[in-house]
Amino acid sequence: MSTQGVTLKSKEELIEKWSKPEVITGSDVLLRSLLLEGAECVFGYPGGAVLYIYDAMHGFTDFQHLLTRHEQGAIHAADGYARSTGKVGVCIATSGPGATNLVTGIATAYMDSVPLVVITGNVATSFIGTDAFQEADIVGITMPITKHSYLVRKAEDLPRIIHEAFHIANSGRKGPVLIDIPKDVSAEKTLFQPVSEVNLRGYNPTVQPNKMQVDKMLRAIEKAEKPVILAGGGVIYSGAHEELYEFVTKTGIPTTTTLLGLGGFPSGNELHMGMPGMHGTYTANTAIQSADLLINIGARFDDRVTMKLKGFAPHAKVVHIDIDPAEIGKNVPTEIPIVGDVKAVLQLANAGAKRADKADAWRAQVSQWKATKPNKYKDSDVVLKPQWVVSMIHETTKGDAIVTTDVGQHQMWAAQYYPLNKPRSWVTSGGLGTMGFGFPSAIGAQMGNPDRTVVSINGDGGMQMCAQELAICAINNIPVKVAIINNQVLGMVRQWQEIIHENRYSHIDLAGSPDFVKLSEAYGVKAFRASNKEEARSAWLEALEHPGPAVVEFVVRKDENVYPMVTAGSTIGEMLMGDSE
């Protein structure tokens, strides 16, 4: 993978290098400040309002800038970089349409609490509000979907603003921060002085929990006969996977992980029940509905987890651990609220955690459900089954890849049939459900993890939304392995129309999609097609062995459904089991 001569330096080296005050442009201040925050790779697309910034990048080798082919590709790549590394993702776009093309990606990151710093250009300050060429009020447009926004008025403010932006993005409940820089500010000269302190009045997220509340949870565990842990993305974002493992091991509580929590607890562990919710496992959903104690650790009780709220976990006393107090009690009444960073809460809890001794019969019941009601499907040696494809990808990568997905049926099959045992190995759009996310997010994940295999599992619909980013994989030799589950239809919509709308199929036919092999080859990417098991395994193994990017199109039937499934208006205990019913 090309690094374009990047020479990363430590923060200490940079501070020493710039210890002597200099008068430089706002653009140079921006680049230096990004380096001081540890930016390794920036994803972007230039335009008129950011010309000075890109001029400052000319010959700049201290971090890598990856020129995407669409601004949405840039922000999804920054998102994938952030989710897979735990660092802040950075992207840059110009004013007007450049900035508005970032909106979907900002919303995606906001819904899933992903730390991004989004830098946009704007028209010169004297033109703001005049409807100037390529002007858009991006601060106003994105206000509901950013954690914080800045409109920079003076170049001298840039070091402080950038330092604050990184701090806000990656602390508390993480999220995207927007920095809008007018063109004249990026050209303005100022004395550069690095900033190392943050003083934000009114912003002080609660990290350390109330010990009394943690003790209440531990006493509840001692009394519980049917306890369940629901672990979400907060476990991964706080780096608490080891603490969660210790907590589950000490208490012996069966655990389910949400879509964004996958990898936060080992899938192969005997106490792991799989994913809950609309397409969750029979064991996870049934256990939640039967539980007398439900401990939510870093999840937000999303509607795809709870489904019909009235009737969700009807017998359970609820404990909710979250760094965002606004989430606690928002959807599900909570008896024991614990506000704090998940890692800090679990560290405190582990000091006094004891085995749930009254839950021996419960653990046996959960083991029986796992044994008798696993996720399963009708395999075939005639047609290629998407579930088999995902299982084959898991087998051939030894479960050690970083997996990104787009949104739809393939996303659920990947969640069900690619068991994950490591955190930050799963990158998917959860809250917003953004089609087009899967492939560019894999590019960002690969840039942040050059020594790991990155697999992007996509549908034929979502792949077309950002397929142009194949170009940068070819140009920069970014070795992402792309699997396209091609059923020539909007699969999840088709499934809903079949089950909920009595087979009234409306505007879901994608039969006019391109030949993905030819499309990939046109960009200079090696590609294969497979329509049976033998072809699929052979093509995939060749793709894995190929040193650069590779695409494999797996041709499957359009009538395959994702099961289990809970339909709208039903509780998670009312599952359609499909072939296993």
Side-chain angles (χ1 to χ4, degrees):
M1 185 167 65
S2 170
T3 58
Q4 298 181 356
V6 173
T7 55
L8 296 174
K9 297 180 176 67
S10 70
K11 186 171 183 177
E12 291 73 21
E13 287 177 303
L14 292 170
I15 290 175
E16 182 180 351
K17 178 181 176 182
W18 298 322
S19 59
K20 183 179 179 181
E22 289 181 78
V23 175
I24 57 177
T25 68
S27 296
D28 289 314
V29 171
L30 170 64
L31 300 189
R32 289 188 182 189
S33 298
L34 290 176
L35 284 173
L36 288 169
E37 298 302 330
E40 299 170 329
C41 184
V42 174
F43 306 87
Y45 202 97
V50 289
L51 274 180
Y52 290 116
I53 296 172
Y54 276 85
D55 184 59
M57 284 189 201
H58 183 72
F60 192 81
T61 59
D62 286 326
F63 62 69
Q64 182 161 5
H65 176 278
L66 203 65
L67 173 64
T68 59
R69 294 302 183 264
H70 193 287
E71 291 89 356
Q72 189 166 332
I75 193 163
H76 290 333
D79 187 313
Y81 173 92
R83 294 189 202 224
S84 64
T85 64
K87 301 173 183 177
V88 177
V90 183
C91 66
I92 300 177
T94 193
S95 64
T100 57
N101 277 343
L102 298 174
V103 170
T104 297
I106 295 171
T108 300
Y110 184 77
M111 287 285 279
D112 290 350
S113 304
V114 179
L116 297 183
V117 168
V118 181
I119 299 163
T120 55
N122 208 331
V123 298
T125 52
S126 61
F127 287 101
I128 291 177
T130 67
D131 292 332
F133 177 68
Q134 290 194 331
E135 182 189 0
D137 178 11
I138 195 63
V139 170
I141 290 168
T142 61
M143 193 168 290
I145 53 170
T146 50
K147 191 174 175 185
H148 192 63
S149 297
Y150 294 92
L151 173 60
V152 186
R153 295 289 187 174
K154 295 181 290 185
E156 66 185 60
D157 293 335
L158 275 166
R160 172 186 59 81
I161 286 173
I162 292 162
H163 190 54
E164 288 178 0
F166 273 79
H167 174 72
I168 293 169
N170 210 25
S171 62
R173 181 175 181 171
K174 304 175 193 294
V177 176
L178 181 95
I179 304 175
D180 195 32
I181 307 176
K183 188 172 183 178
D184 56 323
V185 174
S186 66
E188 180 187 348
K189 291 195 173 183
T190 187
L191 185 69
F192 174 66
Q193 293 180 303
V195 173
S196 58
E197 295 183 358
V198 172
N199 184 17
L200 292 168
R201 184 178 178 184
Y203 179 72
N204 187 25
T206 300
V207 175
Q208 296 299 325
N210 184 310
K211 187 177 184 302
M212 291 177 61
Q213 295 299 96
V214 175
D215 289 342
K216 283 183 183 178
M217 175 181 71
L218 296 179
R219 289 196 297 271
I221 290 171
E222 290 178 16
K223 297 176 182 177
E225 296 181 1
K226 298 179 179 181
V228 167
I229 289 172
L230 172 69
V235 171
I236 294 168
Y237 299 153
S238 66
H241 56 284
E242 292 179 354
E243 286 79 6
L244 176 62
Y245 184 84
E246 180 183 350
F247 185 68
V248 175
T249 302
K250 283 184 172 180
T251 59
I253 298 176
T255 299
T256 175
T257 45
T258 68
L259 181 67
L260 293 183
L262 294 174
F265 186 75
S267 294
N269 189 283
E270 64 180 2
L271 289 170
H272 189 251
M273 300 184 290
M275 184 175 70
M278 175 178 276
H279 294 293
T281 65
Y282 177 90
T283 302
N285 284 352
T286 306
I288 289 172
Q289 293 302 89
S290 306
D292 62 2
L293 177 66
L294 178 60
I295 304 174
N296 179 331
I297 305 178
R300 60 183 181 86
F301 283 127
D302 174 76
D303 60 285
R304 289 298 175 94
V305 168
T306 64
M307 299 304 291
K308 183 181 179 180
L309 270 173
K310 187 176 181 181
F312 174 75
H315 313 294
K317 173 183 283 189
V318 174
V319 180
H320 194 169
I321 301 168
D322 206 293
I323 198 162
D324 184 357
E327 287 296 341
I328 298 177
K330 185 176 81 173
N331 294 327
V332 175
T334 301
E335 282 82 359
I336 304 177
I338 303 177
V339 179
D341 179 78
V342 167
K343 190 180 184 79
V345 174
L346 290 179
Q347 285 174 341
L348 184 59
N350 283 332
K354 297 177 182 178
R355 187 168 179 82
D357 286 332
K358 294 184 177 181
D360 286 342
W362 175 241
R363 283 183 281 267
Q365 175 66 79
V366 168
S367 294
Q368 182 184 12
W369 285 332
K370 285 180 66 176
T372 59
K373 294 282 191 176
N375 284 340
K376 59 184 180 181
Y377 64 98
K378 286 184 179 177
D379 200 4
S380 171
D381 290 324
V382 178
V383 297
L384 197 56
K385 291 279 186 164
Q387 302 94 325
W388 181 90
V389 170
V390 174
S391 296
M392 183 271 296
I393 291 173
H394 179 266
E395 174 198 339
T396 53
T397 58
K398 299 179 173 58
D400 198 37
I402 294 174
V403 176
T404 80
T405 80
D406 212 86
V407 171
Q409 287 182 312
H410 69 276
Q411 178 188 30
M412 295 298 104
W413 286 318
Q416 292 173 340
Y417 293 99
Y418 196 102
L420 292 151
N421 293 314
K422 294 180 181 178
R424 299 200 181 279
S425 297
W426 174 253
V427 176
T428 196
S429 172
L432 199 66
T434 304
M435 289 181 69
F437 173 85
F439 174 46
S441 69
I443 295 171
Q446 188 74 80
M447 296 301 294
N449 302 268
D451 298 325
R452 290 190 67 182
T453 299
V454 176
V455 175
S456 183
I457 301 177
N458 300 269
D460 48 316
M463 186 64 193
Q464 292 181 76
M465 293 191 175
C466 282
Q468 71 281 344
E469 305 308 334
L470 284 165
I472 64 171
C473 285
I475 293 166
N476 297 280
N477 197 35
I478 302 171
V480 172
K481 311 304 178 186
V482 181
I484 302 173
I485 309 295
N486 188 356
N487 57 8
Q488 298 189 48
V489 72
L490 287 171
M492 191 61 86
V493 181
R494 185 208 59 76
Q495 178 170 337
W496 282 43
Q497 289 177 348
E498 173 191 327
I499 295 171
I500 300 170
H501 296 281
E502 300 176 343
N503 297 312
R504 293 191 297 275
Y505 300 120
S506 178
H507 302 286
I508 54 171
D509 187 3
L510 296 181
S513 298
D515 180 323
F516 287 105
V517 172
K518 289 182 178 179
L519 179 66
S520 302
E521 290 173 345
Y523 280 109
V525 174
K526 196 170 184 65
F528 310 85
R529 181 180 293 108
S531 56
N532 59 52
K533 287 182 176 179
E534 183 179 355
E535 291 175 352
R537 184 177 293 275
S538 175
W540 183 250
L541 288 173
E542 190 170 348
L544 286 178
E545 292 170 3
H546 181 64
V551 172
V552 181
E553 178 187 5
F554 297 98
V555 180
V556 301
R557 291 173 56 176
K558 65 178 64 177
D559 57 359
E560 194 74 22
N561 286 338
V562 180
Y563 291 111
M565 178 184 178
V566 179
T567 58
S570 302
T571 68
I572 59 170
E574 301 171 281
M575 289 166 278
L576 302 178
M577 299 302 293
D579 294 339
S580 63
E581 282 187 313

